[in-house]
Amino acid sequence: MTTITRRLALAILNGFDAFFAEYKNITLGAQARFEAADWQAAQKAMRDRLDLWKQKRKIVAEAVTTITAGGVYDRDNWEVAKAEYSELIQHHPNFEIAQSFFNSIYCYIFEHEKVRELHAFVSAPQGYKPEGSERIIHVYNFRGDGRDVVKEMLDNCHFNIPWEDQERDIGYIMELVERELLPKLDTKNHRARAETLESLFFRNKAAYLVGRIVCGDTSLPFVLPIQNSGQGSVYVDTLLYDPDDISIVFSFARSYFMVDASIPSEYVAFLHKLMPHKEIFELYNTMGMPKHGKTEFFRFAVDDTLNSDAPYIIAPGIKGMVMLVFTRPDFDYVYKVIKDRFTPPKEMSQEHVKACYSLVKRWDRGGRMADTQEFNNLAFDRRRFSEELMAELKKEAPSKIEESGNALVLKHVYIERKMIPLNLYLKQCDDDQLYSVMDEYGNAIKQLASNNIFPGDMLLKNFGVTRHGRVVFYDYDEICPLVDCNFRSLPEPQNDEQAMSTQPWYEVNPEDVFPEEFRLFFSGNQRAKKVFDELHSDLYDPEWWQDLQDKISKGFVPDLFPYRRKQRFQQR
């Protein structure tokens, strides 16, 4: 131990504690914003909280550079500082997130180069997994017909505005409980109880009460979405009890929750009991801890790769003009590398593409845009890469790769959930699936637009189909705020020469969009076009887009339900 290394470790821990305190303060305001129906403030708070990690990282990195008189650039100091930091956080309630913060400072100082276990917390602590705690759980033992239990659960939400009609909502809930949940429980031999997390989950314009019913060896998860009526009261919108429905609430295509959790790992442990199919990193992400989620994902990916013999190959589907995409056949994620040169007619810069991906990270994704993880200098085993993939990397992105023996380093890469490209899905679906997925495709475009997002390139290949049948957008290089677009009707040709021209004979500015041309996205698939025209032909009308722009400019924030409208107790 030296004075330099001790100060380095202490300064980083102080920086993490300062970050987490400010993170908590932003989160604590979620309920007040919900009760006031201040949706603009809610969106701003989400962006502010996402920016917080990078802001604190920069401040701490500059501070430790001064505190150590430049000693931060000596990796030997980091080896000692890591050991001292380990001692300092040994009993820290959020030690695993504190480790990620340490890693972040190290990577910032050394620009993500030579990240080794010797100097940073690359591997997970041996045998570690998030542990639950009884202190974050409210327990309700069932009595009578259960109505009193439901009332107590709702009262314990402690809203500062009244319920619109609590007795009505309890009636709706009990109808579903008696019909769908109680028949699955052995109440004759075991006493049932409900368990809910003490803090609500806030996102967009809703609050969610998350819990489960336990009876003997049976555990049934449930979620109660709570809405603000807009009239100074709240109401329960529905009861979600199907595991798939609950999984969609916590989907990778949705924005992060705001949850008053002093120890996020305790909440992650409880959520993992409800959704054991979700990985730990996914749950940290959904809790609003994407930077630590990135650490957990890296560890997950390393373990998954070591337990697989499958090669890395070019991802199925039409090759992108901007991104080179690859994966492993047995891996649920794809790697996306920005090409050095874009295929015409794409003309944007690489910095523009990065800015688009950053915008998506900070936007309310509304269940229609896939979350991404961004990595620099990510190392792979070169021997696992197919020759076709290596040839493609060397051809399309030579500046992004670096080879050293069996190591292949990708200097910049995005990682995203794997989905079936919509154009491929359409080739294998039946008529019912076609109708459903075309409705989903149109709804995805409309919901993105209502959230002030214009996808730009709406080709079928740029949308994916999830295991739940939802359509999600995943190609962001032309994305922009909807209000920045100029939606126009196609001018009528004035003569035969104009009518026969293969090129626009009228002036077109970069921000101009002609919705009538959207029909071209279905070229080659008239079967899909026919269904889309039946369901969403309004998207071809410039006035539809202009009206929505006007609403957004006046402060409109959409209702983004992570469940089908037919599941709502009241069709409002």
Coordinates of all heavy atoms in Angstrom, one line a residue, residues 221-280:
P221 N -46.4 -15.2 -10.2 CA -46.0 -13.8 -10.2 C -47.3 -13.0 -10.7 O -48.1 -13.5 -11.4 CB -44.9 -13.7 -11.3 CG -45.2 -14.9 -12.2 CD -45.8 -16.0 -11.3
F222 N -47.3 -11.7 -10.3 CA -48.3 -10.8 -10.8 C -47.7 -9.4 -10.8 O -46.8 -9.0 -10.1 CB -49.6 -10.9 -9.9 CG -49.4 -10.3 -8.5 CD1 -49.6 -9.0 -8.2 CD2 -49.2 -11.2 -7.5 CE1 -49.5 -8.5 -6.9 CE2 -49.1 -10.7 -6.2 CZ -49.2 -9.4 -5.9
V223 N -48.4 -8.6 -11.6 CA -48.0 -7.1 -11.7 C -49.3 -6.3 -11.8 O -50.2 -6.7 -12.6 CB -47.1 -6.8 -12.9 CG1 -47.0 -5.3 -13.1 CG2 -45.8 -7.5 -12.8
L224 N -49.5 -5.3 -11.0 CA -50.6 -4.4 -11.1 C -50.1 -3.1 -11.6 O -49.5 -2.3 -11.0 CB -51.2 -4.2 -9.7 CG -51.9 -5.3 -9.0 CD1 -52.4 -5.0 -7.6 CD2 -53.2 -5.7 -9.8
P225 N -50.5 -2.8 -12.9 CA -50.2 -1.5 -13.5 C -51.2 -0.4 -12.9 O -52.4 -0.7 -13.0 CB -50.3 -1.7 -15.0 CG -50.3 -3.1 -15.2 CD -50.9 -3.7 -13.9
I226 N -50.6 0.7 -12.5 CA -51.5 1.7 -11.9 C -51.3 3.0 -12.8 O -50.2 3.4 -13.0 CB -51.1 2.0 -10.4 CG1 -51.3 0.7 -9.6 CG2 -51.9 3.2 -9.9 CD1 -50.6 0.8 -8.3
Q227 N -52.4 3.6 -13.2 CA -52.4 4.8 -14.0 C -52.9 6.0 -13.3 O -53.7 5.9 -12.3 CB -53.3 4.5 -15.2 CG -52.9 3.4 -16.2 CD -51.7 3.8 -17.1 OE1 -51.5 5.0 -17.4 NE2 -51.0 2.8 -17.6
N228 N -52.4 7.2 -13.7 CA -52.9 8.4 -13.3 C -54.1 8.8 -14.2 O -54.0 8.8 -15.4 CB -51.8 9.5 -13.4 CG -52.2 10.8 -12.7 OD1 -53.3 11.4 -13.0 ND2 -51.4 11.4 -11.9
S229 N -55.3 9.1 -13.6 CA -56.5 9.4 -14.3 C -56.4 10.8 -15.1 O -57.2 11.0 -16.0 CB -57.7 9.5 -13.4 OG -57.6 10.6 -12.5
G230 N -55.4 11.6 -14.7 CA -55.4 13.0 -15.2 C -56.3 13.9 -14.5 O -56.4 15.1 -14.8
Q231 N -57.1 13.4 -13.5 CA -58.0 14.2 -12.8 C -57.7 14.2 -11.3 O -58.5 14.4 -10.4 CB -59.4 13.7 -13.0 CG -59.8 13.5 -14.4 CD -59.9 14.9 -15.1 OE1 -60.3 15.9 -14.5 NE2 -59.5 14.9 -16.4
G232 N -56.4 14.0 -11.0 CA -56.0 14.1 -9.6 C -56.2 12.8 -8.8 O -56.3 12.8 -7.6
S233 N -56.3 11.7 -9.5 CA -56.6 10.4 -8.8 C -55.8 9.3 -9.6 O -55.3 9.5 -10.7 CB -58.1 10.1 -8.7 OG -58.6 10.0 -10.0
V234 N -55.8 8.1 -9.0 CA -55.1 6.9 -9.6 C -56.1 5.8 -9.7 O -57.1 5.7 -8.9 CB -53.9 6.5 -8.9 CG1 -52.8 7.6 -9.0 CG2 -54.2 6.2 -7.4
Y235 N -55.8 4.8 -10.6 CA -56.7 3.6 -10.7 C -55.8 2.5 -11.2 O -54.8 2.6 -11.8 CB -57.8 3.8 -11.6 CG -57.4 4.2 -13.1 CD1 -57.3 3.1 -14.0 CD2 -57.2 5.5 -13.5 CE1 -56.9 3.4 -15.3 CE2 -56.8 5.8 -14.8 CZ -56.6 4.7 -15.7 OH -56.2 5.0 -17.0
V236 N -56.2 1.2 -10.8 CA -55.5 0.0 -11.3 C -56.0 -0.3 -12.7 O -57.2 -0.4 -13.0 CB -55.8 -1.2 -10.4 CG1 -55.1 -2.4 -11.0 CG2 -55.3 -0.9 -9.0
D237 N -55.1 -0.4 -13.7 CA -55.5 -0.5 -15.1 C -55.8 -2.0 -15.4 O -56.6 -2.3 -16.3 CB -54.4 0.0 -16.0 CG -54.9 0.3 -17.4 OD1 -56.0 0.9 -17.5 OD2 -54.2 0.0 -18.3
T238 N -55.0 -2.9 -14.8 CA -55.2 -4.3 -15.1 C -54.5 -5.2 -14.1 O -53.7 -4.6 -13.3 CB -54.8 -4.7 -16.6 OG1 -55.2 -6.0 -16.8 CG2 -53.3 -4.6 -16.7
L239 N -54.6 -6.5 -14.2 CA -53.8 -7.4 -13.4 C -53.1 -8.3 -14.4 O -53.8 -9.0 -15.2 CB -54.7 -8.2 -12.5 CG -54.0 -9.5 -11.8 CD1 -52.9 -9.1 -10.9 CD2 -55.1 -10.3 -11.0
L240 N -51.8 -8.3 -14.4 CA -51.0 -9.2 -15.3 C -50.5 -10.4 -14.4 O -50.0 -10.2 -13.4 CB -49.8 -8.5 -15.8 CG -50.1 -7.2 -16.7 CD1 -48.9 -6.5 -17.1 CD2 -51.0 -7.5 -17.9
Y241 N -50.8 -11.6 -14.9 CA -50.4 -12.8 -14.2 C -49.7 -13.9 -15.1 O -49.1 -14.8 -14.6 CB -51.7 -13.4 -13.5 CG -52.8 -13.7 -14.5 CD1 -52.8 -14.8 -15.3 CD2 -53.8 -12.7 -14.7 CE1 -53.9 -15.1 -16.2 CE2 -54.8 -12.9 -15.7 CZ -54.8 -14.1 -16.4 OH -55.8 -14.3 -17.3
D242 N -49.9 -13.7 -16.4 CA -49.2 -14.6 -17.3 C -47.7 -14.3 -17.4 O -47.3 -13.2 -17.6 CB -49.8 -14.5 -18.7 CG -49.3 -15.5 -19.7 OD1 -48.2 -15.2 -20.3 OD2 -49.8 -16.6 -19.9
P243 N -46.9 -15.3 -17.2 CA -45.4 -15.1 -17.2 C -44.9 -14.3 -18.5 O -44.0 -13.5 -18.4 CB -44.8 -16.5 -17.2 CG -45.9 -17.3 -16.4 CD -47.2 -16.8 -16.9
D244 N -45.5 -14.6 -19.6 CA -45.1 -13.9 -20.9 C -45.5 -12.5 -20.8 O -44.7 -11.6 -21.2 CB -45.7 -14.6 -22.1 CG -45.0 -15.9 -22.5 OD1 -43.9 -16.1 -22.0 OD2 -45.6 -16.6 -23.3
D245 N -46.7 -12.2 -20.3 CA -47.1 -10.8 -20.2 C -46.2 -10.0 -19.2 O -45.8 -8.9 -19.5 CB -48.5 -10.7 -19.7 CG -49.5 -11.1 -20.7 OD1 -49.2 -11.1 -21.9 OD2 -50.7 -11.5 -20.3
I246 N -45.8 -10.7 -18.1 CA -44.9 -10.0 -17.2 C -43.5 -9.8 -17.7 O -42.9 -8.8 -17.5 CB -44.9 -10.8 -15.9 CG1 -46.2 -10.8 -15.2 CG2 -43.8 -10.3 -14.9 CD1 -46.4 -11.7 -14.0
S247 N -43.1 -10.8 -18.5 CA -41.8 -10.7 -19.2 C -41.7 -9.5 -20.1 O -40.7 -8.8 -20.2 CB -41.5 -12.0 -19.9 OG -40.2 -11.9 -20.6
I248 N -42.8 -9.2 -20.8 CA -42.9 -8.1 -21.7 C -42.8 -6.8 -21.0 O -42.2 -5.8 -21.5 CB -44.2 -8.2 -22.6 CG1 -44.1 -9.3 -23.6 CG2 -44.5 -6.9 -23.3 CD1 -45.4 -9.7 -24.3
V249 N -43.4 -6.7 -19.8 CA -43.3 -5.5 -19.0 C -41.8 -5.1 -18.7 O -41.4 -4.0 -18.7 CB -44.0 -5.6 -17.6 CG1 -43.8 -4.5 -16.7 CG2 -45.6 -5.8 -17.9
F250 N -41.0 -6.2 -18.6 CA -39.6 -6.0 -18.3 C -38.7 -6.3 -19.5 O -37.6 -6.7 -19.4 CB -39.2 -7.0 -17.1 CG -39.8 -6.6 -15.8 CD1 -41.0 -7.1 -15.4 CD2 -39.1 -5.8 -14.9 CE1 -41.6 -6.8 -14.2 CE2 -39.7 -5.5 -13.7 CZ -40.9 -5.9 -13.3
S251 N -39.3 -6.0 -20.7 CA -38.6 -6.3 -21.9 C -37.4 -5.4 -22.2 O -37.3 -4.3 -21.8 CB -39.6 -6.1 -23.1 OG -39.0 -6.1 -24.3
F252 N -36.5 -6.0 -23.0 CA -35.2 -5.3 -23.4 C -35.6 -4.2 -24.4 O -34.7 -3.3 -24.6 CB -34.3 -6.3 -24.1 CG -34.8 -6.8 -25.4 CD1 -34.6 -6.2 -26.6 CD2 -35.6 -8.0 -25.4 CE1 -35.0 -6.7 -27.8 CE2 -36.1 -8.5 -26.6 CZ -35.8 -7.8 -27.8
A253 N -36.8 -4.1 -24.9 CA -37.2 -3.0 -25.8 C -37.8 -1.9 -25.1 O -38.3 -0.9 -25.7 CB -38.1 -3.6 -26.9
R254 N -37.9 -1.9 -23.8 CA -38.5 -0.9 -23.0 C -37.5 -0.1 -22.2 O -36.4 -0.6 -21.9 CB -39.6 -1.4 -22.1 CG -40.7 -2.1 -22.9 CD -42.0 -2.3 -22.1 NE -43.0 -2.8 -23.0 CZ -43.8 -2.1 -23.7 NH1 -43.7 -0.8 -23.7 NH2 -44.7 -2.6 -24.6
S255 N -37.9 1.1 -21.8 CA -37.0 2.0 -21.1 C -36.8 1.4 -19.6 O -37.6 0.6 -19.2 CB -37.5 3.4 -21.0 OG -37.5 3.9 -22.4
Y256 N -35.9 2.0 -18.9 CA -35.6 1.5 -17.6 C -36.6 2.1 -16.6 O -37.1 3.2 -16.8 CB -34.2 1.9 -17.2 CG -33.1 1.6 -18.2 CD1 -32.2 2.5 -18.7 CD2 -33.0 0.3 -18.8 CE1 -31.3 2.2 -19.6 CE2 -32.1 0.0 -19.7 CZ -31.2 1.0 -20.2 OH -30.3 0.7 -21.1
F257 N -36.8 1.3 -15.5 CA -37.7 1.8 -14.5 C -37.0 2.7 -13.5 O -35.8 2.8 -13.5 CB -38.2 0.6 -13.6 CG -39.2 -0.3 -14.3 CD1 -38.9 -1.5 -14.8 CD2 -40.5 0.1 -14.4 CE1 -39.8 -2.3 -15.4 CE2 -41.5 -0.7 -15.0 CZ -41.1 -1.9 -15.5
M258 N -37.8 3.5 -12.8 CA -37.3 4.2 -11.6 C -37.9 3.5 -10.4 O -39.1 3.5 -10.2 CB -37.7 5.7 -11.7 CG -36.9 6.5 -12.7 SD -36.8 8.2 -12.2 CE -35.6 8.8 -13.5
V259 N -37.0 3.0 -9.6 CA -37.4 2.2 -8.4 C -36.6 2.7 -7.2 O -35.3 2.7 -7.3 CB -37.2 0.7 -8.6 CG1 -37.8 -0.1 -7.5 CG2 -37.7 0.2 -10.0
D260 N -37.2 3.0 -6.2 CA -36.5 3.4 -4.9 C -35.9 2.2 -4.3 O -36.5 1.6 -3.4 CB -37.5 4.2 -4.0 CG -36.8 4.6 -2.7 OD1 -35.6 4.6 -2.7 OD2 -37.5 4.9 -1.7
A261 N -34.8 1.8 -4.7 CA -34.1 0.6 -4.2 C -32.7 1.0 -3.7 O -31.8 1.3 -4.4 CB -34.0 -0.4 -5.3
S262 N -32.6 1.0 -2.3 CA -31.2 1.4 -1.8 C -30.2 0.3 -2.1 O -29.0 0.6 -2.2 CB -31.4 1.5 -0.2 OG -32.2 2.6 0.1
I263 N -30.7 -0.9 -2.2 CA -29.8 -2.0 -2.6 C -30.4 -2.7 -3.8 O -31.2 -3.6 -3.7 CB -29.6 -3.0 -1.5 CG1 -29.1 -2.3 -0.2 CG2 -28.5 -4.1 -1.8 CD1 -28.9 -3.2 1.0
P264 N -30.1 -2.3 -5.0 CA -30.7 -2.9 -6.2 C -30.6 -4.4 -6.3 O -31.5 -5.0 -6.8 CB -29.9 -2.2 -7.4 CG -29.5 -0.9 -6.8 CD -29.2 -1.2 -5.4
S265 N -29.5 -5.0 -5.8 CA -29.4 -6.4 -5.9 C -30.5 -7.2 -5.2 O -30.8 -8.3 -5.6 CB -28.0 -6.9 -5.4 OG -27.9 -6.6 -4.0
E266 N -31.0 -6.6 -4.1 CA -32.1 -7.3 -3.4 C -33.4 -7.3 -4.3 O -34.1 -8.4 -4.3 CB -32.5 -6.5 -2.2 CG -31.3 -6.6 -1.1 CD -31.6 -5.8 0.1 OE1 -32.5 -4.9 0.1 OE2 -31.0 -6.0 1.2
Y267 N -33.6 -6.3 -5.1 CA -34.8 -6.3 -6.0 C -34.5 -7.2 -7.2 O -35.4 -7.9 -7.6 CB -35.0 -4.9 -6.5 CG -35.8 -4.0 -5.5 CD1 -35.2 -3.6 -4.3 CD2 -37.1 -3.7 -5.7 CE1 -35.9 -2.9 -3.3 CE2 -37.8 -2.9 -4.8 CZ -37.3 -2.5 -3.6 OH -38.0 -1.8 -2.7
V268 N -33.3 -7.2 -7.6 CA -32.9 -8.1 -8.7 C -33.1 -9.6 -8.3 O -33.7 -10.4 -9.1 CB -31.5 -7.9 -9.2 CG1 -31.0 -9.0 -10.1 CG2 -31.3 -6.6 -9.9
A269 N -32.8 -9.9 -7.1 CA -33.0 -11.3 -6.6 C -34.4 -11.7 -6.6 O -34.8 -12.8 -7.0 CB -32.4 -11.4 -5.2
F270 N -35.3 -10.8 -6.2 CA -36.7 -11.0 -6.1 C -37.3 -11.2 -7.5 O -38.1 -12.1 -7.8 CB -37.5 -9.9 -5.4 CG -38.9 -10.2 -5.2 CD1 -39.4 -10.9 -4.1 CD2 -39.9 -9.7 -6.1 CE1 -40.7 -11.2 -3.9 CE2 -41.2 -10.0 -5.9 CZ -41.7 -10.7 -4.8
L271 N -36.9 -10.3 -8.4 CA -37.4 -10.3 -9.8 C -36.9 -11.6 -10.5 O -37.7 -12.2 -11.3 CB -36.9 -9.1 -10.6 CG -37.4 -7.7 -10.2 CD1 -36.7 -6.6 -11.0 CD2 -38.9 -7.7 -10.4
H272 N -35.7 -12.1 -10.1 CA -35.2 -13.3 -10.7 C -36.1 -14.5 -10.3 O -36.2 -15.5 -11.1 CB -33.8 -13.5 -10.4 CG -33.1 -14.5 -11.3 ND1 -32.6 -15.7 -10.9 CD2 -32.8 -14.4 -12.6 CE1 -32.0 -16.3 -11.9 NE2 -32.2 -15.6 -13.0
K273 N -36.7 -14.4 -9.1 CA -37.6 -15.5 -8.7 C -38.9 -15.5 -9.5 O -39.4 -16.5 -9.9 CB -37.9 -15.3 -7.2 CG -36.8 -15.6 -6.3 CD -37.3 -15.3 -4.8 CE -36.1 -15.5 -3.9 NZ -36.5 -15.2 -2.5
L274 N -39.3 -14.3 -9.9 CA -40.5 -14.2 -10.7 C -40.2 -14.5 -12.2 O -41.1 -15.1 -12.8 CB -41.0 -12.7 -10.7 CG -41.3 -12.1 -9.3 CD1 -42.0 -10.8 -9.5 CD2 -42.2 -13.0 -8.5
M275 N -39.0 -14.2 -12.6 CA -38.7 -14.4 -14.1 C -37.3 -15.1 -14.2 O -36.3 -14.5 -14.6 CB -38.7 -13.1 -14.8 CG -40.0 -12.3 -14.8 SD -39.8 -10.6 -15.5 CE -39.1 -9.8 -14.0
P276 N -37.3 -16.4 -13.8 CA -36.0 -17.1 -13.8 C -35.3 -17.2 -15.2 O -34.1 -17.5 -15.3 CB -36.3 -18.5 -13.2 CG -37.8 -18.6 -13.4 CD -38.4 -17.3 -13.3
H277 N -36.1 -17.0 -16.2 CA -35.6 -17.1 -17.6 C -34.8 -15.9 -18.0 O -34.0 -15.9 -18.9 CB -36.7 -17.3 -18.6 CG -37.7 -16.2 -18.6 ND1 -38.7 -16.1 -17.6 CD2 -37.8 -15.2 -19.5 CE1 -39.4 -15.0 -17.9 NE2 -38.9 -14.4 -19.0
K278 N -35.0 -14.8 -17.2 CA -34.2 -13.6 -17.5 C -32.9 -13.6 -16.9 O -32.7 -14.1 -15.7 CB -35.0 -12.3 -17.1 CG -36.2 -12.0 -18.0 CD -36.6 -10.6 -17.8 CE -37.8 -10.2 -18.8 NZ -37.3 -10.0 -20.1
E279 N -31.9 -13.2 -17.6 CA -30.5 -13.1 -17.0 C -30.4 -12.0 -16.0 O -31.1 -11.0 -16.1 CB -29.5 -13.0 -18.2 CG -29.5 -14.1 -19.2 CD -29.1 -15.4 -18.6 OE1 -28.4 -15.4 -17.6 OE2 -29.4 -16.5 -19.3
I280 N -29.4 -12.1 -15.1 CA -29.2 -11.1 -14.1 C -28.9 -9.7 -14.7 O -29.4 -8.7 -14.2 CB -28.0 -11.5 -13.2 CG1 -28.4 -12.8 -12.4 CG2 -27.6 -10.4 -12.2 CD1 -29.6 -12.6 -11.5

